[in-house]
Amino acid sequence: MRRLTVTPRTDWQTRVERIGLTYHTLEDGTPYWDETVYWEFSSFEIDRLEAATAEIQRLALAAGDAILDQDRLSQMGIPAAAAPAIRAAWNAEPPALYGRLDLAYDGTTIKLLEYNADTPTGLVEAAVAQWYWLQDCFPDADQFNSLHEKLIAKWKDLKDYVTTPVYFANAGSDEDHMTASYLRDTAEQAGLRTRHIAMSEIGWDSGHSRFVDLDNHAIQTLFKLYPWEWMLSEPFGANALSTLPPASPLQQYGPRKDRRSWGSMLWIEPIWKMMWSNKALLAILWELNPGHELLLPAYLDGPRELSSYVRKPLLGREGAGIAVVKDGVAVEGSLTGESAQGYVYQALASMGTAAGKTAVFGSWLVDGEPAGMGIRESSGLITNNTSRFVPHLFR
Amino acid sequence: MRKSKEVQLTLLAAMALSMTACREPHRDCVDSQNHLLPDTGCQAGWGGAHYLYGGSSGGHIGDAVMGGSTSVSRGGFGGIGGGDGGGGE
């Protein structure tokens, strides 16, 4: 693989805005979407990344079973009140749409850095913006990116199981709003009726024990780009749990009257994703698969034998609270401060680097299958909300 | 080929053009008898003052507000991610 420079399209801002990437420039005026460079891979390298993604997904599925069999949710800092709903959802298998594995890849070894399983973003960039960039700049090349058609296919699969309209909710940033809007677009293209609602606008109808929209109509299927751990710590958290088995009675969905017990309201992503989006998963994966070629040594009780490692809060987001330690010395971030849920200590990975930048390879899954890749570059080792997105291709 | 054959957008493109603000829910500040109060009554926490969603009235202070649902409360989600934080990662 190699990182190459290229002349950006003269009107790139207009082009990416037109397709939904309205947040292409950072607050300091530097580009977030950076098409002055791109990464080029061989077909063999993409095969390896795709196979690694599928293998890690297999390991994560086994880890989910182990977490529940061994009653390890409390060790992960997951509230006890959520445990019955997580267990029930894991067994009932309500629909799960998508996720993103962040991988370290130096051209030789591939290692899992973390699994963004509940609220991954960077999707408009990966699925849409870099696809259009490829069409404009390298139409004969290929790209690891079938996200768009896989998302539409997944919604089509769900057509008989969900109640419409399917609501799409988010809070805060433009990026989240456009991500939710893009997913809504894919659902519409699959033939589903959709509506948007802000997380703060969702109402709780205590008379009917259900969530409602602004017209007080029941919300029965909700895609929420909002972390489960945040929802559960907010005033409606207990209400959310009340819509899920085992608290909620068995419900039937859609014209096929599917009998699986998904609760009175279908939440996408399902609540069991709390197990995978929690960074304790990294230590549990290593414990279950010590020495696995795609995993880094990771521990919950301290760095143990590691002299160079990354300390991550179990529920950290966008690089917050992460410290990088090399030979016992913190070289990025800080080891001071405490995380209420604790930390995972993960061995430092060999990263893909070029021109002073460190790349993280975000490998997407749709319906549990590898579906594409997006690359983020940082000046340091920590990927955060200022890390640039750069497109890729392969030949 | 592993790239999507087509990436056609309908809704997202329109959203990008408009980026309109989210619709505010209609709500009235009312007293314990569901008579219309100024919004400041609810903001200041006057006794019995509360919001009623989806109701209608003549719009004058003291008017009876009809048809709203007092059993619906809002704002119980979104507090943590309400700023620029969002919730995506």
Side-chain angles (χ1 to χ4, degrees):
Chain A
M1 65 186 189
R2 54 186 182 156
R3 182 183 189 269
L4 299 164
T5 57
V6 63
T7 304
R9 294 167 290 179
T10 50
D11 55 347
W12 67 267
Q13 291 98 332
T14 309
R15 284 176 181 263
V16 299
E17 280 170 16
R18 230 183 262 148
I19 53 169
L21 190 60
T22 53
Y23 45 95
H24 53 67
T25 301
L26 300 171
E27 281 180 9
D28 65 3
T30 59
Y32 161 69
W33 164 266
D34 184 359
E35 59 175 70
T36 64
V37 294
Y38 68 95
W39 285 80
E40 181 177 306
F41 298 84
S42 68
S43 182
F44 173 72
E45 288 166 331
I46 294 296
D47 286 346
R48 283 196 64 207
L49 286 161
E50 186 173 22
T53 302
E55 168 65 0
I56 293 168
Q57 178 73 0
R58 188 187 68 78
L59 298 178
L61 284 165
D65 284 334
I67 289 166
L68 295 177
D69 289 347
Q70 298 168 13
D71 286 325
R72 299 184 70 168
L73 294 176
S74 62
Q75 185 189 23
M76 303 173 85
I78 293 174
I86 291 172
R87 194 175 290 278
W90 181 258
N91 292 328
E93 297 185 42
L97 183 66
Y98 76 144
R100 192 190 74 236
L101 301 173
D102 283 349
L103 304 174
Y105 181 36
D106 60 3
T108 305
T109 60
I110 300 172
K111 301 287 185 183
L112 173 66
L113 297 173
E114 61 188 59
Y115 196 168
N116 298 297
D118 188 16
T119 59
T121 52
L123 184 63
V124 178
E125 301 88 304
V128 183
Q130 70 171 347
W131 188 90
Y132 277 92
W133 167 85
L134 190 74
Q135 297 304 107
D136 288 345
C137 302
F138 302 95
D140 297 328
D142 204 351
Q143 192 173 72
F144 181 20
N145 178 16
S146 56
L147 278 157
H148 189 75
E149 57 197 30
K150 282 196 166 73
L151 286 165
I152 293 173
K154 177 62 179 173
W155 288 119
K156 282 182 178 170
D157 282 350
L158 292 178
K159 212 169 173 181
D160 290 339
Y161 300 100
V162 300
T163 305
T164 56
V166 178
Y167 288 82
F168 288 78
N170 64 278
S173 67
D174 275 0
E175 179 182 3
D176 285 16
H177 187 59
M178 296 311 284
T179 304
S181 299
Y182 171 59
L183 286 166
R184 188 181 160 202
D185 196 333
T186 59
E188 288 267 346
Q189 291 187 50
L192 295 170
R193 211 154 45 82
T194 68
R195 289 187 72 176
H196 177 265
I197 188 166
M199 287 300 295
S200 60
E201 293 172 341
I202 294 172
W204 174 253
D205 182 341
S206 55
H208 297 91
S209 297
R210 64 189 187 189
F211 286 103
V212 294
D213 66 12
L214 291 175
D215 299 317
N216 293 337
H217 295 144
I219 297 173
Q220 290 184 279
T221 303
L222 176 71
F223 170 88
K224 46 93 211 150
L225 191 64
Y226 200 76
W228 271 106
E229 65 263 21
W230 289 7
M231 288 199 301
L232 294 184
S233 69
E234 292 185 335
F236 284 170
N239 304 121
L241 291 177
S242 77
T243 67
L244 292 167
S248 170
L250 180 115
Q251 296 287 322
Q252 295 178 333
Y253 277 93
R256 283 191 194 163
K257 300 295 180 194
D258 185 84
R259 290 189 174 192
R260 280 173 288 186
S261 180
W262 292 343
S264 62
M265 181 167 160
L266 180 60
W267 299 80
I268 302 172
E269 298 295 316
I271 192 170
W272 64 257
K273 285 286 186 98
M274 290 182 82
M275 295 193 291
W276 285 3
S277 61
N278 186 303
K279 291 179 181 63
L281 175 74
L282 302 168
I284 292 168
L285 281 170
W286 181 253
E287 179 190 313
L288 296 172
N289 309 277
H292 193 290
E293 63 174 347
L294 298 174
L295 301 177
L296 291 161
Y299 309 107
L300 292 172
D301 56 358
R304 296 195 192 177
E305 79 280 5
L306 306 173
S307 58
S308 296
Y309 60 90
V310 180
R311 190 189 75 167
K312 302 175 179 180
L314 295 189
L315 298 176
R317 314 188 78 78
E318 298 268 14
I322 290 180
V324 180
V325 175
K326 277 186 178 172
D327 298 323
V329 179
V331 294
E332 228 178 296
S334 169
L335 288 171
T336 59
E338 282 300 317
S339 156
Q341 288 79 23
Y343 295 95
V344 67
Y345 302 81
Q346 184 185 46
L348 208 52
S350 176
M351 309 289 289
T353 57
K357 303 288 184 188
T358 302
V360 168
F361 302 89
S363 190
W364 287 91
L365 299 111
V366 174
D367 197 19
E369 301 291 332
M373 182 171 69
I375 301 170
R376 300 283 299 276
E377 287 188 347
S378 309
S379 298
L381 288 170
I382 300 173
T383 301
N384 56 30
N385 55 8
T386 64
S387 302
R388 297 177 178 198
F389 188 101
V390 298
H392 82 274
L393 58 80
F394 73 90
R395 300 180 192 275
Chain B
M1 296 295 272
R2 262 176 285 190
K3 63 181 175 186
S4 296
K5 288 189 188 75
E6 291 285 338
V7 178
Q8 291 193 348
L9 302 169
T10 52
L11 190 64
L12 187 70
M15 292 290 302
L17 286 175
S18 62
M19 283 297 287
T20 51
C22 298
R23 182 161 66 101
E24 289 292 328
H26 173 73
R27 65 183 186 180
D28 295 301
C29 181
V30 295
D31 63 17
S32 56
Q33 307 299 313
N34 285 353
H35 291 118
L36 193 63
L37 294 174
D39 250 21
T40 48
C42 288
Q43 289 157 8
W46 294 355
H50 62 284
Y51 283 113
L52 191 64
Y53 287 84
S56 60
S57 73
H60 303 292
I61 300 301
D63 282 357
V65 179
M66 311 298 288
S69 170
T70 51
S71 65
V72 173
S73 53
R74 296 182 196 274
F77 283 141
I80 299 174
D84 291 334
E89 61 179 337

